[in-house]
Amino acid sequence: PQAAEEEKQEALRSWAALVEENRSLESETEHKNFLLNAVSDFHAAAEFLGIAEKPSVMELVLRFENLSEFFVSSQHGDRKRNLPGFRFAHNAARGPSKGGLRLDPIVRFDEVCALAFMMTFKTAKSRILCGGGKGGLIINPREFLDRRLDFVDTLTNFGRSLFLVTGPNRDVPAGDVGCGASEIGILFEGFKSALRDLALIAYGLKKGAADIGNRVISLSEAREMLRHNFDVDYNDRRVLRELISSERYLELVNAAQITGKPRMGIDARTGATGRGLRFGVLAIVTKLFLEGKWEPAGKISAKEKELLKKAAGISEKLILEKGGIDLLTEDEWQELDGRIYPKLLRDKKVVVQGSGSVGASTLRELDRYGVNVVAVADVGGAILGDHLDVDEMLQAVASTRERSVVTAKKGVKKVIKGAKEGAAILEEPCDILLPCALENVIDAGVARRMQAKVLVCGGNGTNTSKAEMILHQRGIPVLYDFLANGAGVTASYFEWLRNQNDRRRYEAEVINGAPFDISVMDGYIMPEFRDRIKMILREPESPRITEQWNLVLRDIMFAAVNDDLDFARREGLSMKTAGFAKATLRLVAAEMARMETEQRAAFWKDLPKKTRGYLKPYLQHPELRLFNPDFDEGGWMAA
């Protein structure tokens, strides 16, 4: 932000030139860089919206708010090392940055940048009140299999560095590659220790300063972090005393700092990405059937077709009109999920790349509809056949020495050894292809040879920019990555809401001795589902409440797919360009809401007429009042 205007202009010019080269179909060269592909795909939407030549807008959307790099002390027996770790916050205009942590040797600076950038658009696409962030530590957890304490110590050191740049109101990490519930539990314990240190400094029991992570934190810094990152009033001695003396309250304040926890989490978070992919598949298949482009396995009656039309009509506009309630009745959903969708999906050929957490949960979620899984690939290779047995494949991944599907037998007709060789399944004839593993697996060549009827991207950055363009030209529907796999972060947002709610209840009832008023949660809950989510939060977590969270997740996914597909068809765009465009408009509206009135008026005046037309509905969205209670979309527009 402090750079001179000519520097910004030159940066944008050089970036645009690189993007043009990366997207040119006249050349077969592909850089296959995740960050370059991400910004290239965004650029297509920026050109469509008319903002690609507007530095003031591009700067708002492209720049990173915080790039934190630290070196984490790690001991492995007698060997000591400093391992590079990262936490990047791309944009927090719509809420605290949200994104996972990778613990893996493949972690790189540009990869973390790309993932943080994509998370901004993923959260905007889901409409949850979060921004985009990502983190990682360059470490091989397998090296520590015989040194568990050394691994815990390394992870704790990473956590104390993360603590300094995260917080429930600032940046909320979660799990990702190599970082599951166990690792998050270790980080959570480290966060609690650091938060207690902040409280001790602020209360005066720990004089002067304290070492946290790789910094010495002073009294003034401790107070600012408590206020800004945790919404703790350091002038309230009762709150500070409780934070120091009560393990329960310490955990409640800290719980919303990280999601995917083994304790104080929510069951709806487990397998959420795969569940969201299932809802995405159902939504796109519904649309295709109603358009006459999907052949069902069984006869669909007129009454059943009306139910499918109702599901295809779930949109953001409808959700706002109905307050997010009664979009589908319980009986209607049972009819759809139990009788109609099995007719649409039974025996449809499915190919999945990846047997990790996303691939495995996707296989389980789709298995209920009687799909015919004809090929699965992972790190060990691939198996091809007919009606491959999902339970046997996942058991093989969990319990065999190979940790791969290649040892499965039922229905298998061909085995391919080797991860690289197994990628050949991406070109197998099928109805639904789900790449749920690596980046850049579908390049221009694969996109030209692909024989899938629908592509649903469970992994991040699975398609290169050229592949996206080729698939659009071929007319193959693509549920792109930050739409298809967005349910994981959405469920993490639900966990964050539960943690915030439990903390506020404790503060009201225990610290202040007053009844809990759930309206204090209004500023945290997405307006589309405010009343519905408040009904969920009024009850403790239970199997019934888990199902209620999952139904909100369903409606978010259906609306996202329906809105993107309708917009893409209307404007002649690919679904990914449509998704980037709509998410960008939501992001720019949030940035405008936070501006001073005069700055906002000047910003609006500088926008092309076309851009204003697309942006106007987003400036009328009720979420903007959360970012600026005095926001008024009227007078400054005329000025």
Side-chain angles (χ1 to χ4, degrees):
Q2 289 78 32
E5 281 304 313
E6 54 269 24
E7 290 182 80
K8 294 178 184 178
Q9 293 276 10
E10 178 54 34
L12 284 171
R13 276 194 295 269
S14 60
W15 170 75
L18 193 57
V19 164
E20 184 178 356
E21 175 193 332
N22 192 50
R23 288 177 55 81
S24 173
L25 294 180
E26 295 177 4
S27 166
E28 291 297 316
T29 302
E30 288 191 274
H31 294 288
K32 294 190 178 181
N33 179 278
F34 184 15
L35 178 57
L36 179 56
N37 283 329
V39 294
S40 296
D41 293 340
F42 160 74
H43 190 74
E47 287 182 320
F48 163 74
L49 292 173
I51 60 173
E53 304 299 323
K54 289 291 179 183
S56 60
V57 187
M58 298 299 276
E59 180 188 341
L60 275 183
V61 180
L62 287 173
R63 75 177 182 213
F64 282 74
E65 293 189 356
N66 184 44
L67 298 172
S68 297
E69 184 176 8
F70 20 75
F71 292 92
V72 177
S73 175
S74 174
Q75 184 155 335
H76 189 279
D78 295 331
R79 183 171 56 141
K80 290 186 176 180
R81 295 175 294 172
N82 287 318
L83 305 178
F86 311 101
R87 185 65 188 179
F88 299 162
H90 174 247
N91 189 291
R94 299 185 59 257
S97 302
K98 194 79 189 74
L101 299 167
R102 292 191 167 187
L103 308 176
D104 197 277
I106 67 169
V107 169
R108 296 191 335 212
F109 187 99
D110 64 307
E111 178 207 38
V112 180
C113 273
L115 290 163
F117 179 79
M118 294 302 297
M119 284 303 300
T120 294
F121 296 92
K122 186 181 291 188
T123 54
K125 182 71 251 167
S126 301
R127 302 187 302 283
I128 60 175
L129 297 178
C130 301
K134 206 72 179 182
L137 178 65
I138 301 178
I139 186 173
N140 187 353
R142 291 179 178 274
E143 292 180 359
F144 291 84
L145 291 177
D146 59 340
R147 313 286 307 190
R148 177 65 180 173
L149 288 179
D150 287 345
F151 180 72
V152 170
D153 184 59
T154 301
L155 199 53
T156 300
N157 290 338
F158 181 43
R160 287 180 73 84
S161 293
L162 284 172
F163 178 86
L164 298 172
V165 296
T166 60
N169 293 357
R170 180 182 181 184
D171 185 354
V172 183
D176 202 322
V177 177
C179 188
S182 174
E183 290 77 16
I184 290 171
I186 295 168
L187 291 169
F188 181 48
E189 293 302 315
F191 284 179
K192 282 166 50 184
S193 170
L195 180 59
R196 179 177 274 120
D197 282 346
L198 286 188
L200 288 169
I201 297 170
Y203 196 72
L205 291 177
K206 184 170 276 194
K207 300 294 183 182
D211 286 321
I212 299 179
N214 54 358
R215 282 177 49 201
V216 176
I217 302 299
S218 66
L219 172 61
S220 60
E221 286 178 306
R223 287 176 168 176
E224 179 59 22
M225 288 176 69
L226 285 171
R227 183 187 67 81
H228 181 68
N229 296 2
F230 293 90
D231 195 23
V232 170
D233 182 0
Y234 56 81
N235 291 311
D236 190 329
R237 305 292 283 180
R238 291 177 307 163
V239 169
L240 285 183
R241 276 198 304 270
E242 195 76 15
L243 202 53
I244 293 164
S245 61
S246 168
E247 179 75 8
R248 174 63 178 161
Y249 185 53
L250 181 71
E251 287 194 331
L252 286 170
V253 173
N254 220 193
Q257 188 173 6
I258 192 166
T259 57
K261 300 178 291 294
R263 294 187 306 109
M264 304 180 76
I266 62 172
D267 287 343
R269 178 63 187 88
T270 305
T273 304
R275 201 169 306 118
L277 285 166
R278 165 190 151 209
F279 293 141
V281 167
L282 298 182
I284 189 67
V285 165
T286 298
K287 283 281 198 180
L288 292 176
F289 167 74
L290 293 173
E291 293 169 357
K293 299 175 182 176
W294 187 268
E295 190 67 32
K299 181 175 172 55
I300 304 293
S301 69
K303 184 178 179 182
E304 290 172 334
K305 191 171 183 179
E306 287 305 309
L307 264 185
L308 288 169
K309 286 180 179 178
K310 190 171 183 180
I314 296 174
S315 64
E316 180 175 3
K317 181 180 178 183
L318 181 68
I319 291 170
L320 283 169
E321 288 174 357
K322 301 192 71 169
I325 297 173
D326 294 333
L327 302 172
L328 288 170
T329 68
E330 185 177 339
D331 288 344
E332 287 171 338
W333 177 242
Q334 286 182 355
E335 178 73 8
L336 280 164
D337 200 48
R339 290 174 54 85
I340 302 174
Y341 285 128
K343 291 182 184 181
L344 290 183
L345 289 169
R346 188 171 63 245
D347 293 329
K348 294 298 182 183
K349 292 182 178 180
V350 171
V351 171
V352 177
Q353 184 193 42
S355 63
S357 59
V358 177
S361 63
T362 302
L363 284 165
R364 288 194 187 96
E365 292 284 344
L366 293 179
D367 193 41
R368 70 180 71 196
Y369 303 111
V371 299
N372 179 9
V373 179
V374 295
V376 176
D378 59 20
V379 293
I383 54 175
L384 299 88
D386 189 59
H387 287 284
L388 300 174
D389 189 281
V390 170
D391 290 336
E392 185 199 17
M393 286 188 290
L394 298 185
Q395 181 64 26
V397 173
S399 60
T400 62
R401 181 172 58 85
E402 292 85 351
R403 299 291 181 183
S404 169
V405 298
V406 295
T407 59
K409 304 295 183 185
K410 294 179 183 177
V412 176
K413 297 178 180 177
K414 182 179 180 182
V415 177
I416 302 174
K417 291 294 182 72
K420 184 177 180 180
E421 293 77 8
I425 68 163
L426 296 169
E427 299 174 26
E428 284 293 307
C430 64
D431 296 291
I432 304 170
L433 171 62
L434 294 120
C436 299
L438 303 174
E439 299 152 8
N440 299 314
V441 293
I442 299 176
D443 58 17
V446 174
R448 290 189 178 100
R449 296 187 297 270
M450 184 187 296
Q451 300 180 69
K453 294 178 182 175
V454 176
L455 175 61
V456 181
C457 303
N460 290 307
T462 55
N463 305 350
T464 66
S465 293
K466 289 183 180 180
E468 288 283 352
M469 297 168 69
I470 292 166
L471 292 169
H472 176 54
Q473 290 176 355
R474 292 186 61 196
I476 297 176
V478 178
L479 293 194
Y480 55 89
D481 47 5
F482 69 89
L483 166 64
N485 65 26
V489 71
T490 303
S492 282
Y493 167 70
F494 295 161
E495 180 178 328
W496 180 79
L497 288 176
R498 172 62 72 186
N499 295 152
Q500 292 280 19
N501 180 80
D502 290 351
R503 170 192 170 176
R504 305 301 170 182
R505 180 182 293 277
Y506 184 95
E507 289 171 343
E509 297 177 349
V510 177
I511 298 179
N512 297 319
F516 174 58
D517 181 359
I518 200 169
S519 66
V520 301
M521 291 296 297
D522 287 353
Y524 301 101
I525 302 174
M526 52 200 301
E528 295 93 334
F529 293 97
R530 181 172 293 148
D531 291 341
R532 187 170 166 188
I533 287 177
K534 282 161 72 172
M535 285 190 287
I536 294 173
L537 292 174
R538 283 189 173 94
E539 298 185 35
E541 289 296 311
S542 67
R544 192 183 76 81
I545 290 300
T546 298
E547 182 59 23
Q548 292 302 308
W549 284 127
N550 287 334
L551 292 178
V552 177
L553 188 64
R554 175 202 68 192
D555 294 339
I556 289 173
M557 288 300 300
F558 266 74
V561 173
N562 292 339
D563 285 344
D564 270 10
L565 192 57
D566 290 345
F567 187 77
R569 297 268 171 83
R570 189 167 62 247
E571 301 291 344
L573 306 171
S574 72
M575 281 192 73
K576 190 164 195 178
T577 301
F580 257 121
K582 291 168 73 67
T584 298
L585 291 167
R586 191 174 300 278
L587 186 62
V588 171
E591 293 278 11
M592 289 180 67
R594 295 178 181 276
M595 294 176 182
E596 295 295 330
T597 303
E598 288 186 6
Q599 181 191 6
R600 188 186 308 130
F603 184 88
W604 174 257
K605 185 178 180 181
D606 190 48
L607 293 175
K609 184 177 180 180
K610 175 184 179 180
T611 311
R612 293 188 207 172
Y614 285 117
L615 187 56
K616 253 186 177 178
Y618 292 84
L619 292 169
Q620 297 164 351
H621 196 284
E623 76 174 22
L624 299 192
R625 294 269 193 274
L626 300 178
F627 313 142
N628 180 357
D630 299 322
F631 177 74
D632 173 16
E633 74 276 10
W636 52 269
M637 283 188 182

